[in-house]
Each structure stands twice: as structure tokens, then as C-alpha cells.
């Protein structure tokens, strides 16, 4: 890692130098100081040392004294330190257990979670009962963050004492029922570690996990998908039946008659997918668009192992998209694609160009792409692939060139139409200057000749002529094997080759010597007149060779082919043993057998069964009882308001039905509701006319939006329109906010080059986690500017998608280019250099907080549900006094929700571009002329900045002012 430099007293001092100047004695003195500021500063530096990999264990006694500090920030840092060293300093850590137990009751959720984390990190069996009690209490904590920590602690306790398994399973069963998305991934991980065979614990929670999957954190999604894949293989029947007819809705066509339906049933019984099976496939499909490569790979393997074969192809585009990522990711993805391409070539054939090798690829990446191209080869595309291979053979990477020759051999074996073409091309490579290419060509030609030996005697002769120039042992051995195997087809050449080998036998490699002995034996049997003496000479040389394998082979061959009294009956079988026809080798993919491992696993990557690997079970012949997944729903028995709210929530799920059904059910529910009100409640008084005029929702025209919607142009949150009962879903409105342009580089500073930029507020085409930026470059000088491009960036890790180099920009000309910048949900400026051919200019782009957000559409129920999950520290709000007249005029153009008590509210939803964190904004007008502006999000800093800007924007329009 590269650490920044700080300026101290005018001198540049690195973090390493600053920390090295502080001895442990100094830090101990600061930790034992009476001032909280000194202790806090010391702990920051100690944690900094730990983060850099330095050993700070000597400070344990001084640090542990501050475990009971009342300073929240100091206590958090102490807990971070204790988690790191509690296992190493167990005796001292045990002295603080009482403090940790008190901290488990702390009002601050982070302190409770940190205390449990430290307690579970003390690897001492004597405190197992204490840990178990703490885990059980934390599992029932009101904070989902603490419950998540308890799930992590389960795995630690199980590794410390496996005898606690039964009690831990009870806690896991309880946490599996948790509705928080923060807990779901962690408890499933604990389930996989402690009791992966207890499938019965998943039955009641299966549908909940499927529905929560989209909102779980990314690594939790990976764990849950893996578990659900194994679960599905035990609970559902196979959708891969060849004669299966997919009839998921079990609905007959409009014009089908009953007689036709009965006739079809007698012919073939349709395969009806279990609704829970379809639920899993449907809820994981959106995750193919995830920015996390592990999530995408998990969904891909789930579809490969669970989905019907005609649906698996939907994962293809997502897997190909991952090839734009880092090499490590490419390597794993390509391995899985290689396995998939063997069984289903059609999936990846449209994306064949994506697997073409680039010069910048690493060798192992090139080899995998080559493997996939070979798997995809067929009669239709083989000519294109062979042209590509011709380029690869000329590569400077010798290992890759050799792998290409092997791929050509595989294509020649699998596709008979191009066998001769490939063979002739490989023969031409024998004259190549590179020994590696020649050697690999000989080996592959040898394998190909075994398939058609009678047709290629000329090739064997040609290889014999090149024998003297080939020095690679494996290539020489392959030629000798060919000479011996087909010695009867080249009767004049084979003895001459044996003569040459007799001269150089003592200097050859062992593999060449063994093949020379074999050649001599075969020639002795077929052409004894010419080779008898040569054979005896070579056998005498081999008899005294230093290698015992060669000595043993020589003695065996002599007894086999040379008749004498000791050889007995074995001699008459020599020809059948040595000259027996050999089966042609089968050139197969190295990934042919890897499908025995689950895709995306370490075992699949290594091609061996890794520790902890759990094999997928076969599909059951008969599906188990699906009622085990039914969860009893307790109907609320309350007042009329409860009934109405439940009816409204039921209507919000009617979008999945047909329009006729939804209209019918809507009208029925409306009539039923009116009947209930007429029976149970007296008739209410009519509302005043002033209220009635706001009781309908109207949409403003485009010109009105231009005047009003700019209030939210800095926030890019999507306007959600909420109407009365007939429309249960919130409606999205377009944004007409004006685009603001910022100066990037002045023409005076840029020596004639001027640059301005703006945010188009559109999804970035390059990466979904980037903010789109458009830059307008103008040449204000009297001469042309050349090679305008992006140079170095600061920090170097800043993720920027640069525009292509502009070769030439004429005077007074302008050009607009697009960029993508990953701001990582921060308003810190992106610093980089804008360069020409001769100059470099430092520039920076700083986004407003609203530019880091993108719109998100949801229902009112979903909004309230997500808002309920983002309370406490995730909620930022502020009350204001509202100017009612201006506020109503403003609200008329957006959204009005009126109840009998005249309560106005508006809700906006969005997500951060980089991390996808949810941002919810609500503005509620209350009775006492006050408005409550609330922001719910995990990004607390962003919430504060957004609240400030919203307040300023609304105050500018004289809608709100401070009370």
C-alpha cells in the first residue's frame, strides 16, 4: 500500500516516519493519561499501526485499561484493538469480561455489537457458557446490527466448542425467522457452517429468503444463493426432461377445446414447475445486473444447475460482461464459461468475438479464451476460428503459441472437414525458427497421423528429413515413435534414422533413448536384414546406461525379440506385442470432467475436491411435500382502519394479475368497502370546498415543470406521485431540471484549450457504478491542438473511464466527449490531468451530492417498509415552519395526498450511483404549519449534505423557514 505524506513544520513526513517516531513507551504514556484527547489520539495511532500490519501486542495492558471508558469513540477503537489481540492475550482479556458483559447492555448498538465481537474472539473454553448466553441475548436484540453480530459469533463459538451445536441450532432457527435484510446473509452463513444438512430449518423461511434476496448485502446474497441451490436440488424435480412440456401457468390456449386438452394429456404429461422453484429463478434473475462479480457468478451457477435448459442462456450476457473486469475475475469466469461451453455451445457462440485474444491478456487468460474458442468450433465457424489461430501461432508468448497448436489439433480431430487443412498447416510450422512451435507441432501431428496413418506417409517422410534440425526432446521422441509405428510404410527412411540415432545415443535425453530402443526393436522384427547389427549395438549401449529405466527396457527388449533358450515361448509373441495396432488418441478439453463440481466453487477452479465442498444432490424422482414451505399468516383482528390498510396492501400486489382481473377485484373491493362503511360507521360530514379542490392529483405541464422541478435538480431523486385508491402504485414523473455547466479549464490557464463539463444525469454507458460526465473541449487559440487526452489521476486508484484521444482540434472548434467517474458516493473532487501533445493541466471535477444519486421507483408500501429499516442512526430529519400558501401552489404541481385532516406528504426515492445504497426523502406537512423533512439512508454524511441543500432550495422558493 502507498500511504500519504503529511506536512509537519514545512517538511514532508510519511505516515511510516511519523509512527516510527512514536515509541511504545510514548503511546503507553498517552494511553495512561488523564486526558481523553490524549487517549483517543493514541488509540487512533495504535489502530493505524494494526492496519499497516505492525505488531502492537505490547500495548495490550495499557489499552485494556480503557475498555470501560465513557467516551464512545475511544471505546470503539479499544474494541477494534481487542478483537485483533484477544486471542493472543487471553489472560489479560479474561480480566475484562465483566466489562464486556456490562457493555452488552449499553444503549449504543455499536457498543453492544463490539462487545459481543470481542467476547467471541477470546478463544478460551472456560467462557463458553458466557458466550452462549451473550449470543442468545444478542439474537433477541432490537438492533438488527447486533443480531447480525450474534450470527457471526455463532460460527466462532462452534469452532471453539462443537458440543454446543444443538443450542446454536436453536439460535440459528430463531435468527432465520428474522425479517431484517441485514441479518439474513449472516445467519445463512452460520447455518452453512454449523448445520448445512438441516434442510428442515429452511422450509418455513424459503420464500422469505427468496423475496429478501434482492435487498441483502452482496456477500450475503452469494451465501444465500449457494444454500438455496443445494436446497432446490433436494426439493424439486428435474426440469431437464427431454419430453417435458413447460406449462407453468397450467392455462390452456383461448381457442383450445376440452377434447383437445384431454387428447394432449393422454399423449404426454406436461411438466409443471413448482411455484417455489419458479420463485427462486424469478427473484435471482435481477441479480445478474449486480455490480458484484461474485453475485453474478452465483446466479449463473444457480441457473446452470436449476433452470430449464432453454432458460440458461439468459446468464450469457452477464458472464461476458464480467470479462471487462480484473484478470483474477476474468480467470474464474473464463473457467466456468469453458465448462459450460462444452455442453452447450449455442449459448456462447453469438459472443465468440468476446473470446478473441488480445495482446495485453495474461498467458493464463489467453489459454482459457483459446479453450473456449476450441469448444465453440463447428462446421459453420471453423474457418473464422482457424484464421484467428493463425495469428495466435505467431505470438511472442511461446507457451500460448504451443497451446494454440494443441487447439488446432483438437479442431482437426473433432471436425473431419478441416483435418487435412489443419494437418498441412502444422506441417508448414515444422520449418518455423522457434523450437517450441516445432516441437508442439510434431507432437500434435503425431496424434493426428494416428487417426489416418495410411494417407499421410509423405508427411512422415517430411518429418524424418527435418529430424536433424529438431532439438526439443519431446519432438525428437515423437518422430522416432512415428518411424517405429509406421516403419513398414517408410522402409527406406526408418533404418537411416536409426543409424543416425546410434551415433548420438549416449548424448540424447532419456525419453529419446527409450524411443530409440523401441524403434530398433520394431525394425528388428520388420527389417532384420538391414537393422540387426544396429539393433544389437543400441541394445548394448542401453544395457550400461546410467538410467535404470533404460537398462530395464533394454534387457526386456533383448529377451523379447532375440530368440534364445531363455526367452522361451515369449519370443513368438514379440510381433503381436510391439507391432499391435494402437488406438488413436482422443484430444479432449481439459474442462470436460469439471462439471462434476458445482460451478463457481473453489473445487471447480482447482479441479479437485476442496475442504468444505458440499456436493449437489441428484434431483429427486418425486418431489417432497411442498406444503412444508407454507407459512401460516395470522389475520389481524382489529378496527376498520386495520382492515382497510390490509385491503390496500393486498391491492398493491395485484399488478401481477391480468388487467381484467385487477379491474374486477378493484371494483369489488371498492363496493365492499362502501358497504362496510355504511354498516359500521355513521356518514361523515362533507369536506369544505377548499379541501375538495386538492382532493385530486393533477400533473403539471412541461413548462410548469421547468419552473418548479429545478428545486430538486441537485438531488436527482425521482418524483413519486401518489394518488387515491384506484392507483395503488406510485407513478414516476420525468425530470425537466436545467443542466448546469461548470468550468473545468480556462483558456488562459490551458494555453488556448478551454474545457467545461456538466452532468447529463443519465446512466453511465461504461460502468453502472460510474457517474456520467460530458466535457466540452474548445480550442480558443490560433493554432491546432493535438493529442488531447487524460493523463495521470490523483489518487492513482481513482476509477475513471477516459475519453478516446482527440488527435487534432482545429482553432475555434469544439468537441463534446463523455467520461465516467466512480466517486465512491463521495463529493470529494476527482483530480486528474488534461493533456495535449506538449502540455499538461491539472483539473478537477467535484459533484454536488445530488449528482451521486439515481432515481428509483417503488410503491408506497415498499417505501414505508424500506423507511422502517432505516431508522435510528440512519435517519436524519429537521422540522421547519411552512408558508402554507406558497407551499400549496408548489405542491399542486407535484403531488397532493389529502385526508380528512388535511395532511400533505411527498416522498422521493433514489439510490447512490456507486454502491446502490437506498436514499429516501419525505416531506410531510403537519397541522401546526410545520413541515418535517426526513432523509433515511445508510450514508449519514450524504444525508446531512442532502438535508442542507434541500433546506436551502426550499427556503429559496419561500416555502420553508427556520422556526
Amino acid at each position: 500500500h502507498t500511504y500519504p505524506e503529511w506536512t509537519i513544520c514545512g517538511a514532508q513526513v510519511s505516515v511510516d516516519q511519523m509512527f516510527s517516531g512514536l515509541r511504545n513507551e510514548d503511546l503507553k504514556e498517552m494511553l495512561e493519561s488523564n486526558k481523553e484527547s490524549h487517549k483517543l489520539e493514541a488509540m487512533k495511532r495504535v489502530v493505524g499501526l494494526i492496519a499497516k500490519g505492525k505488531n502492537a501486542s505490547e500495548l495490550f495492558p495499557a489499552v485494556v485499561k480503557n475498555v470501560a471508558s465513557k467516551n464512545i469513540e475511544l471505546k470503539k477503537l479499544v474494541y477494534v484493538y481487542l478483537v485483533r489481540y484477544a486471542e493472543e492475550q487471553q489472560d489479560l482479556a479474561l480480566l475484562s469480561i465483566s466489562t464486556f458483559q456490562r457493555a452488552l447492555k449499553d444503549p449504543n448498538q455499536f457498543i453492544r455489537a463490539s462487545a459481543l465481537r470481542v467476547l467471541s474472539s477470546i478463544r478460551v473454553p472456560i467462557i463458553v457458557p458466557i458466550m452462549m448466553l451473550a449470543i442468545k441475548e444478542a439474537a433477541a436484540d432490537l438492533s438488527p446490527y447486533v443480531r447480525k453480530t450474534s450470527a457471526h459469533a455463532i460460527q466462532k463459538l462452534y469452532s471453539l466448542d462443537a458440543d454446543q451445536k444443538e443450542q446454536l441450532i436453536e439460535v440459528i432457527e430463531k435468527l432465520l425467522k428474522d425479517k431484517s435484510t441485514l441479518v439474513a446473509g449472516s445467519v445463512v452463513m452460520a447455518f452453512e457452517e454449523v448445520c448445512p444438512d438441516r434442510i428442515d430449518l429452511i422450509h418455513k423461511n424459503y420464500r422469505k429468503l427468496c423475496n429478501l434476496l434482492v435487498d441483502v448485502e452482496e456477500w450475503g446474497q452469494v451465501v444465500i444463493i449457494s444454500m438455496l441451490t443445494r436446497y432446490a436440488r433436494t426439493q424439486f424435480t428435474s426440469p431437464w426432461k427431454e419430453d417435458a412440456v413447460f406449462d407453468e401457468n397450467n392455462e390452456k390456449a383461448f381457442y383450445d377445446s376440452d377434447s383437445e386438452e384431454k387428447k394432449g394429456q393422454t399423449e404426454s404429461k406436461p411438466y409443471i414447475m413448482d411455484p417455489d422453484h419458479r420463485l427462486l429463478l424469478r427473484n435471482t434473475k435481477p441479480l445478474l445486473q449486480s455490480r458484484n462479480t461474485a453475485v453474478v457468478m452465483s446466479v449463473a451457477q444457480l441457473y446452470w444447475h436449476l433452470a430449464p435448459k432453454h432458460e440458461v442462456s439468459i446468464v450469457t450476457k452477464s458472464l461476458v460482461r464480467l470479462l471487462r473486469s480484473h484478470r483474477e475475475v476474468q480467470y474464474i469466469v473464463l473457467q466456468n464459461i469453458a465448462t459450460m461451453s462444452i455442453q452447450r455451445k449455442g449459448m456462447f457462440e453469438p459472443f465468440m468475438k468476446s473470446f478473441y485474444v488480445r495482446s495485453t491478456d495474461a498467458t493464463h487468460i489467453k489459454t482459457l479464451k483459446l479453450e473456449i474458442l476450441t469448444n465453440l468450433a463447428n462446421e459453420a465457424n471453423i474457418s473464422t476460428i482457424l484464421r484467428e489461430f493463425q495469428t495466435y501461432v505467431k505470438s511472442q508468448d511461446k507457451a500460448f503459441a504451443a497451446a494454440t497448436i494443441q487447439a488446432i489439433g483438437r479442431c482437426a480431430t473433432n471436425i473431419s472437414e478441416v483435418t487435412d487443412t489443419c494437418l498441412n498447416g502444422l506441417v508448414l510450422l515444422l520449418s518455423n525458427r522457434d523450437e517450441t512451435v516445432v516441437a508442439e507441432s510434431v507432437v500434435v501431428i503425431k496424434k493426428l497421423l494416428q487417426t489416418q496413418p495410411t494417407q499421410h506417409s509423405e508427411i512422415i517422410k517430411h518429418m524424418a528429413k527435418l529430424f536433424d534440425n529438431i532439438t526439443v526432446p519431446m519432438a525428437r521422441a515423437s518422430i522416432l515413435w512415428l518411424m517405429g509405428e509406421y516403419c513398414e510404410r517408410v522402409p527406406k527412411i526408418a533404418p537411416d534414422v536409426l543409424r543416425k540415432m546410434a551415433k548420438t545415443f549416449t548424448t540424447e535425453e532419456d525419453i529419446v533413448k527409450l524411443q530409440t530402443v523401441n524403434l530398433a526393436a520394431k525394425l528388428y522384427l520388420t527389417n532384420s536384414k538391414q537393422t540387426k547389427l544396429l539393433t544389437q549395438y543400441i541394445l548394448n549401449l542401453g544395457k550400461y546406461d546410467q538410467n535404470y529405466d533404460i537398462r530395464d527396457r533394454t534387457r526386456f527388449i533383448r529377451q523379447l525379440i532375440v530368440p534364445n533358450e531363455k526367452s522361451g515361448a515369449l519370443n513368438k509373441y514379440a510381433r503381436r506385442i510391439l507391432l499391435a495396432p494402437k488406438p488413436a488418441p482422443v484430444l479432449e478439453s481439459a474442462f470436460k470432467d469439471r462439471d462434476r463440481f458445482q460451478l463457481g466453487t473453489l473445487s471447480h477452479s482447482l479441479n479437485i475436491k476442496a475442504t468444505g465442498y458440499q456436493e449437489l444432490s441428484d434431483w429427486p424422482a418425486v418431489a417432497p411435500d411442498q406444503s412444508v414451505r407454507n407459512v401460516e399468516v395470522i389475520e389481524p383482528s382489529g378496527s376498520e382502519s386495520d382492515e382497510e390498510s390490509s385491503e390496500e396492501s393486498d391491492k398493491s400486489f395485484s399488478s401481477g394479475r391480468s388487467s381484467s382481473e385487477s379491474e374486477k377485484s378493484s371494483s369489488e373491493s371498492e363496493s365492499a368497502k362502501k358497504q362496510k362503511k355504511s354498516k359500521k360507521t355513521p356518514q361523515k360530514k362533507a369536506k369544505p370546498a377548499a379541501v375538495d379542490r386538492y382532493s385530486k392529483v393533477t400533473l403539471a405541464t412541461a413548462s410548469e415543470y421547468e419552473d418548479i422541478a429545478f428545486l430538486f435538480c441537485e438531488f436527482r431523486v425521482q418524483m413519486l406521485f401518489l394518488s387515491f385508491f384506484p392507483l395503488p402504485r406510485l407513478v414516476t414523473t420525468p425530470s425537466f431540471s436545467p443542466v448546469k455547466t461548470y468550468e473545468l479549464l480556462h483558456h488562459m490557464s490551458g494555453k488556448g484549450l478551454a474545457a467545461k463539463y456538466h452532468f447529463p444525469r443519465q446512466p453511465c454507458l461504461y460502468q453502472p457504478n460510474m457517474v456520467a460526465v460530458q466535457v466540452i473541449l474548445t480550442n480558443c487559440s490560433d493554432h491546432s491542438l493535438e493529442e488531447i487526452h487524460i493523463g495521470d489521476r490523483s489518487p492513482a486508484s481513482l476509477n475513471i473511464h477516459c475519453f478516446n484521444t482527440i488527435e487534432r482540434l482545429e482553432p475555434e472548434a469544439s468537441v463534446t466527449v463523455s467520461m465516467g467517474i466512480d466517486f465512491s458516493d463521495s463529493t470529494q473532487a476527482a483530480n486528474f490531468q488534461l493533456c495535449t501533445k506538449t502540455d499538461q493541466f491539472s483539473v478537477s471535477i467535484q459533484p454536488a451530492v445530488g449528482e451521486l444519486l439515481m432515481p428509483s421507483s417503488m410503491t408506497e408500501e415498499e417505501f414505508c417498509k424500506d423507511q422502517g429499516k432505516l431508522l435510528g442512526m440512519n435517519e436524519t430529519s429537521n422540522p421547519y415552519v411552512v408558508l402554507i400558501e406558497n407551499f400549496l401552489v408548489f405542491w399542486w404541481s407535484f403531488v397532493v395526498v389529502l385526508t380528512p385532516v388535511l395532511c400533505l406528504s411527498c416522498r422521493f426515492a433514489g439510490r447512490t450511483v456507486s454502491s446502490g445504497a437506498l436514499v429516501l426523502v419525505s416531506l410531510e406537512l403537519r397541522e401546526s404549519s410545520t413541515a418535517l423533512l426526513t432523509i433515511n439512508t445508510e450514508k449519514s454524511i450524504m444525508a446531512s449534505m442532502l438535508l442542507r441543500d434541500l433546506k436551502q432550495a426550499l427556503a429559496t422558493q419561500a416555502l420553508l423557514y427556520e422556526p
Side-chain angles (χ1 to χ4, degrees):
H1 297 280
T2 303
Y3 296 95
E5 291 190 345
W6 295 353
T7 303
I8 301 178
C9 299
Q12 295 290 332
V13 180
S14 67
V15 178
D16 288 335
Q17 293 171 339
M18 186 188 74
F19 282 160
S20 61
L22 283 173
R23 299 173 300 174
N24 287 343
E25 290 76 9
D26 300 329
L27 292 173
K28 288 180 181 178
E29 185 177 348
M30 295 175 68
L31 289 169
E32 294 173 355
S33 172
N34 294 327
K35 295 184 177 180
E36 292 289 335
S37 59
H38 289 179
K39 295 180 180 179
L40 185 59
E41 182 65 24
M43 281 307 306
K44 288 180 179 179
R45 300 192 180 193
V46 171
V47 173
L49 288 171
I50 296 174
K52 292 169 54 185
K54 304 290 184 180
N55 184 11
S57 58
E58 296 181 1
L59 300 172
F60 195 94
V63 172
V64 79
K65 292 179 182 179
N66 297 285
V67 71
S69 174
K70 295 182 179 180
N71 187 306
I72 300 298
E73 188 174 358
L74 176 60
K75 183 176 287 190
K76 289 180 181 179
L77 294 175
V78 171
Y79 282 163
V80 170
Y81 177 91
L82 292 177
V83 169
R84 169 64 180 81
Y85 290 108
E87 188 171 353
E88 298 180 11
Q89 303 281 347
Q90 296 178 356
D91 294 338
L92 290 175
L94 286 173
L95 299 176
S96 304
I97 285 183
S98 58
T99 305
F100 300 144
Q101 290 178 298
R102 288 196 301 271
L104 291 172
K105 306 295 183 182
D106 195 278
N108 191 308
Q109 59 176 343
F110 294 108
I111 297 299
R112 298 198 302 273
S114 298
L116 179 59
R117 190 178 295 114
V118 177
L119 191 62
S120 60
S121 299
I122 303 176
R123 315 288 294 173
V124 180
I126 196 174
I127 66 168
V128 165
I130 299 177
M131 291 172 59
M132 178 59 72
L133 181 61
I135 290 173
K136 288 182 177 180
E137 292 180 352
D141 197 279
L142 294 177
S143 169
Y145 182 72
V146 178
R147 300 198 298 273
K148 175 187 179 76
T149 307
S150 70
H152 292 167
I154 289 174
Q155 306 170 55
K156 296 181 182 180
L157 180 55
Y158 180 71
S159 64
L160 179 62
D161 187 1
D163 294 337
Q164 305 296 321
K165 180 176 180 178
E166 293 303 322
Q167 295 187 56
L168 292 176
I169 290 177
E170 294 178 2
V171 181
I172 290 174
E173 184 176 7
K174 180 179 180 180
L175 289 175
L176 280 171
K177 300 176 182 178
D178 201 300
K179 297 181 180 180
S180 174
T181 56
L182 195 64
V183 181
S186 301
V187 66
V188 171
M189 174 58 80
F191 170 83
E192 291 286 79
E193 290 289 334
V194 178
C195 52
D197 55 332
R198 289 290 303 274
I199 296 296
D200 58 292
L201 299 180
I202 306 298
H203 291 324
K204 297 292 185 182
N205 304 286
Y206 172 81
R207 294 169 185 169
K208 183 196 71 175
L209 289 173
C210 290
N211 292 321
L212 290 181
L213 193 56
V214 178
D215 298 321
V216 176
E217 77 271 12
E218 293 167 339
W219 294 112
Q221 290 173 344
V222 174
V223 177
I224 295 175
I225 291 174
S226 177
M227 184 272 295
L228 292 179
T229 303
R230 290 192 302 105
Y231 178 87
R233 287 292 288 261
T234 64
Q235 300 299 310
F236 310 127
T237 56
S238 173
W240 301 340
K241 299 176 182 177
E242 295 182 359
D243 57 346
V245 179
F246 287 86
D247 189 12
E248 297 165 18
N249 298 322
N250 200 18
E251 297 176 354
K252 63 181 181 179
F254 183 78
Y255 292 103
D256 289 348
S257 63
D258 294 337
S259 60
E260 291 176 349
E261 181 181 7
K262 293 179 180 179
K263 181 180 180 181
Q265 288 179 354
T266 58
E267 293 178 354
S268 63
K269 185 178 180 180
Y271 170 83
I272 301 176
M273 181 176 285
D274 191 297
D276 289 328
H277 191 173
R278 175 56 62 189
L279 175 68
L280 177 59
L281 296 176
R282 183 172 61 248
N283 285 15
T284 53
K285 183 178 178 180
L287 297 181
L288 288 172
Q289 308 302 322
S290 174
R291 64 171 188 166
N292 188 294
T293 55
V295 175
V296 177
M297 192 65 249
S298 296
V299 178
Q301 66 85 21
L302 180 140
Y303 264 78
W304 179 260
H305 294 295
L306 300 182
K309 293 183 178 180
H310 67 275
E311 296 184 20
V312 180
S313 57
I314 66 171
V315 307
T316 309
K317 289 184 179 180
S318 300
L319 290 177
V320 173
R321 173 173 61 87
L322 297 184
L323 299 181
R324 304 172 186 172
S325 189
H326 304 291
R327 290 181 178 178
E328 296 79 6
V329 174
Q330 290 184 48
Y331 182 71
I332 299 299
V333 173
L334 286 171
Q335 280 188 324
N336 288 273
I337 291 178
T339 300
M340 299 166 78
S341 62
I342 294 175
Q343 298 185 17
R344 302 175 195 173
K345 297 182 180 181
M347 284 178 53
F348 296 96
E349 190 173 350
F351 302 92
M352 196 169 65
K353 290 186 177 180
S354 301
F355 307 112
Y356 284 175
V357 175
R358 298 174 297 181
S359 58
T360 56
D361 289 335
T363 302
H364 58 283
I365 300 296
K366 294 178 182 177
T367 306
L368 284 173
K369 288 185 176 181
L370 191 66
E371 180 76 27
I372 295 171
L373 286 174
T374 309
N375 293 341
L376 297 179
N378 54 37
E379 293 81 356
N381 59 26
I382 185 60
S383 58
T384 304
I385 291 178
L386 286 180
R387 282 198 300 270
E388 194 74 14
F389 285 175
Q390 289 175 2
T391 305
Y392 300 163
V393 170
K394 302 174 184 177
S395 173
Q396 298 297 321
D397 188 341
K398 304 308 175 187
F400 174 61
T404 303
I405 295 172
Q406 295 178 12
I408 294 174
R410 278 181 55 198
C411 291
T413 303
N414 298 333
I415 306 174
S416 58
E417 288 82 354
V418 296
T419 301
D420 293 340
T421 303
C422 294
L423 196 53
N424 294 331
L426 292 173
V427 171
L428 294 176
L429 291 178
L430 294 178
S431 58
N432 196 290
R433 295 181 180 179
D434 191 282
E435 294 181 354
T436 306
V437 174
V438 174
E440 201 64 43
S441 300
V442 170
V443 174
V444 174
I445 289 174
K446 169 207 160 188
K447 295 177 180 178
L448 292 178
L449 288 180
Q450 288 183 259
T451 61
Q452 299 174 333
T454 59
Q455 304 177 13
H456 302 291
S457 58
E458 292 298 325
I459 295 178
I460 299 175
K461 294 178 182 179
H462 182 69
M463 295 174 66
K465 293 177 182 179
L466 297 174
F467 183 77
D468 293 338
N469 298 325
I470 297 175
T471 58
V472 177
M474 180 57 72
R476 291 174 67 85
S478 297
I479 295 177
L480 291 174
W481 185 91
L482 282 173
M483 293 294 112
E485 187 68 17
Y486 308 112
C487 57
E488 295 178 348
R489 305 186 192 284
V490 285
K492 296 181 180 180
I493 296 178
D496 193 51
V497 172
L498 182 63
R499 177 184 59 81
K500 293 179 180 180
M501 289 306 303
K503 293 180 180 180
T504 60
F505 184 87
T506 56
T507 60
E508 297 288 347
E509 294 290 333
D510 292 343
I511 189 174
V512 180
K513 291 179 181 179
L514 289 172
Q515 291 302 328
T516 303
V517 172
N518 287 343
L519 174 61
K522 293 176 181 179
L523 286 175
Y524 184 89
L525 295 175
T526 59
N527 192 359
S528 177
K529 182 178 179 180
Q530 286 185 302
T531 60
K532 181 177 181 180
L533 296 177
L534 275 175
T535 301
Q536 292 178 354
Y537 176 72
I538 290 174
L539 292 178
N540 288 333
L541 292 176
K543 182 178 179 180
Y544 301 103
D545 195 88
Q546 294 181 356
N547 187 285
Y548 62 85
D549 286 334
I550 298 174
R551 297 197 301 270
D552 292 345
R553 177 73 64 86
T554 302
R555 293 189 179 99
F556 169 74
I557 293 295
R558 185 186 297 275
Q559 295 297 320
L560 181 64
I561 66 175
V562 180
N564 55 44
E565 296 179 356
K566 296 181 179 180
S567 61
L570 187 63
N571 178 258
K572 61 182 179 180
Y573 297 106
R575 181 177 289 271
R576 295 177 61 182
I577 293 174
L578 294 176
L579 298 179
K582 313 296 190 302
V586 180
L587 301 179
E588 297 178 339
S589 170
F591 289 83
K592 181 182 179 181
D593 297 329
R594 290 205 188 187
D595 57 349
R596 68 183 187 274
F597 296 114
Q598 184 178 349
L599 294 185
T601 60
L602 179 62
S603 298
H604 176 270
S605 180
L606 300 178
N607 200 22
I608 57 174
K609 188 173 182 180
T611 304
Y613 175 74
Q614 300 178 34
E615 295 184 357
L616 287 178
S617 61
D618 295 330
W619 295 99
V622 180
D625 183 14
Q626 62 179 356
S627 64
V628 294
R629 291 184 290 276
N630 294 336
V631 180
E632 182 180 357
V633 179
I634 301 176
E635 295 292 338
S637 58
S639 61
E640 176 198 18
S641 60
D642 294 334
E643 296 176 0
E644 292 181 2
S645 62
S646 64
E647 290 175 4
E648 290 301 317
S649 63
D650 291 340
K651 287 170 57 181
S652 66
F653 291 99
S654 64
S655 58
R657 298 175 291 181
S658 62
S659 58
S660 60
E661 289 177 339
S662 60
E663 290 174 3
K664 182 179 179 180
S665 61
S666 177
S667 60
E668 289 177 355
S669 61
E670 288 293 331
S671 61
K673 188 183 299 182
K674 290 179 181 179
Q675 292 177 2
K676 287 182 180 180
K677 288 185 178 181
S678 61
K679 293 179 181 179
K680 295 183 179 181
T681 59
Q683 185 70 24
K684 295 182 180 179
K685 295 181 180 180
K687 292 182 285 187
V691 175
D692 287 338
R693 61 189 290 257
Y694 294 106
S695 62
K696 296 181 180 179
V697 177
T698 60
L699 304 182
T701 63
S703 59
E704 291 174 320
Y705 272 111
E706 293 175 356
D707 295 332
I708 301 172
F710 81 94
L711 297 177
F712 297 90
C713 69
E714 295 294 330
F715 319 121
R716 292 178 61 188
V717 288
Q718 196 168 20
M719 301 300 181
L720 302 179
F721 284 68
L722 177 62
S723 64
F724 270 89
F725 301 114
L727 294 177
R729 294 192 67 84
L730 301 181
V731 185
T732 306
T733 69
S735 175
F736 296 91
S737 52
V739 177
K740 186 175 181 180
T741 303
Y742 306 90
E743 185 175 69
L744 183 64
L745 179 65
H746 194 270
H747 70 276
M748 296 295 292
S749 304
K751 297 182 180 181
L753 177 63
K756 294 183 179 180
Y757 70 93
H758 65 271
F759 300 94
R761 295 171 188 162
Q762 298 175 353
C764 183
L765 298 176
Y766 311 116
Q767 291 185 20
N769 61 337
M770 285 185 171
V771 176
V773 182
Q774 289 188 349
V775 181
I776 304 172
L777 302 171
T778 306
N779 185 358
C780 300
S781 65
D782 55 357
H783 59 277
S784 299
L785 297 176
E786 298 181 352
E787 297 182 11
I788 304 175
H789 62 280
I790 299 297
D792 297 337
R793 60 201 72 180
S794 177
S797 59
L798 180 65
N799 188 10
I800 296 181
H801 188 283
C802 307
F803 57 84
N804 295 330
T805 300
I806 300 173
E807 300 297 338
R808 190 179 186 88
L809 187 62
E810 300 296 336
E812 304 301 326
S814 296
V815 63
T816 301
V817 293
S818 297
M819 299 174 56
I821 304 177
D822 185 0
F823 289 101
S824 300
D825 296 342
S826 171
T827 56
Q828 294 186 358
N831 302 311
F832 56 93
Q833 288 186 336
L834 185 60
C835 308
T836 62
K837 186 176 182 180
T838 57
D839 298 295
Q840 298 177 348
F841 311 103
S842 297
V843 297
S844 63
I845 295 179
Q846 184 171 16
V849 63
E851 306 297 348
L852 305 177
L853 302 176
M854 59 182 177
S856 178
S857 179
M858 62 177 62
T859 64
E860 179 186 11
E861 182 181 3
E862 292 170 344
F863 186 97
C864 297
K865 181 180 179 181
D866 289 335
Q867 191 178 40
K869 299 175 184 177
L870 297 171
L871 301 177
M873 299 181 66
N874 297 324
E875 182 176 272
T876 306
S877 61
N878 207 343
Y880 301 95
V881 175
V882 63
L883 298 178
I884 187 65
E885 295 180 359
N886 293 350
F887 187 81
L888 290 178
V889 173
F890 164 76
W891 224 247
W892 176 257
S893 301
F894 287 98
V895 56
V896 179
V897 179
L898 294 178
T899 64
V901 295
L902 188 59
C903 176
L904 303 181
S905 64
C906 187
R907 297 177 175 128
F908 312 91
R911 291 186 181 273
T912 59
V913 175
S914 181
S915 65
L918 195 62
V919 179
L920 303 177
V921 181
S922 59
L923 185 60
E924 181 179 356
L925 179 64
R926 298 183 173 180
E927 295 181 2
S928 56
S929 298
T930 60
L932 182 64
L933 183 59
T934 306
I935 299 177
N936 300 84
T937 181
E938 297 175 356
K939 305 288 184 178
S940 56
I941 298 178
M942 180 177 288
S944 301
M945 300 174 66
L946 190 59
L947 186 68
R948 179 197 62 195
D949 291 351
L950 276 170
K951 183 187 72 174
Q952 183 179 358
L954 293 173
T956 304
Q957 293 300 309
L959 300 178
L960 305 178
Y961 65 91
E962 293 286 353

